[in-house]
Amino acid sequence: EASAIGRLLGAGSAVCYAAYFVFGRRLLRQRSPLAATGFVLLLAAAGFWLYGGISGQLLLDLPVRAWAWVVALAVISTAVAILALFAGLKRVDAGTAAITSALEPALAVILAAAVFAEPLTFGQAAGIMLVLGGVVVLQLPRSPSSLPDTRR
């Protein structure tokens, strides 16, 4: 059962994620996606080093293989992903980008099954189909009769 703190942290995560899209869009009015990505990565790295240094959890004496994974995660899963997000936000509104990003968990489950042979349960498959269906439905153009009347 989820604790109250767990629920609060989950809700806080959702609020932060939503703010990331909204403020990211605002940042892109003045900066390129590449510059915005650099800004975010710089702040994230500073926070990582600061927290790691203060908490004593910063480990630098890792084997070469571990550093290779760290670099791969930093470049592919972080820098490229953030750059793609900002490039998309430059072209679509924050709501569309947020809805489309709902594909992330579904793709993570599919990749885990394909790459690591993790089991894909019926519930996960059903959830993936619901997410895909929701993203498609929310991207469909609205009919003029369903739009609010703004003539006042």
Side-chain angles (χ1 to χ4, degrees):
E1 183 177 321
S3 68
I5 291 175
R7 288 187 180 114
L8 284 173
L9 289 171
S13 172
V15 169
C16 290
Y17 196 58
Y20 192 70
F21 280 94
V22 172
F23 292 115
R25 177 96 170 136
R26 182 171 290 167
L27 176 64
L28 290 168
R29 290 181 191 153
Q30 301 157 343
R31 302 286 184 254
S32 72
L34 187 59
T37 299
F39 178 71
V40 167
L41 293 175
L42 182 65
L43 287 177
F48 172 80
W49 286 95
L50 183 66
Y51 176 80
I54 290 171
S55 68
Q57 296 180 31
L58 187 61
L59 300 175
L60 300 175
D61 58 341
L62 300 173
V64 173
R65 183 178 168 119
W67 275 112
W69 281 109
V70 168
V71 169
L73 286 170
V75 173
I76 297 167
S77 300
T78 306
V80 172
I82 293 170
L83 181 59
L85 170 67
F86 284 145
L89 270 175
K90 189 84 170 174
R91 291 165 178 79
V92 299
D93 62 271
T96 300
I99 290 166
T100 305
S101 76
L103 293 170
E104 278 183 42
L107 291 174
V109 170
I110 292 168
L111 277 174
V115 175
F116 300 116
E118 290 187 12
L120 180 62
T121 66
F122 175 78
Q124 290 171 324
I128 289 168
M129 296 308 293
L130 287 171
V131 168
L132 291 174
V135 169
V136 168
V137 166
L138 290 170
Q139 301 300 329
L140 294 174
R142 295 183 184 170
S143 66
S145 63
S146 70
L147 297 175
D149 186 8
T150 57
R151 299 173 287 161
R152 289 188 205 190

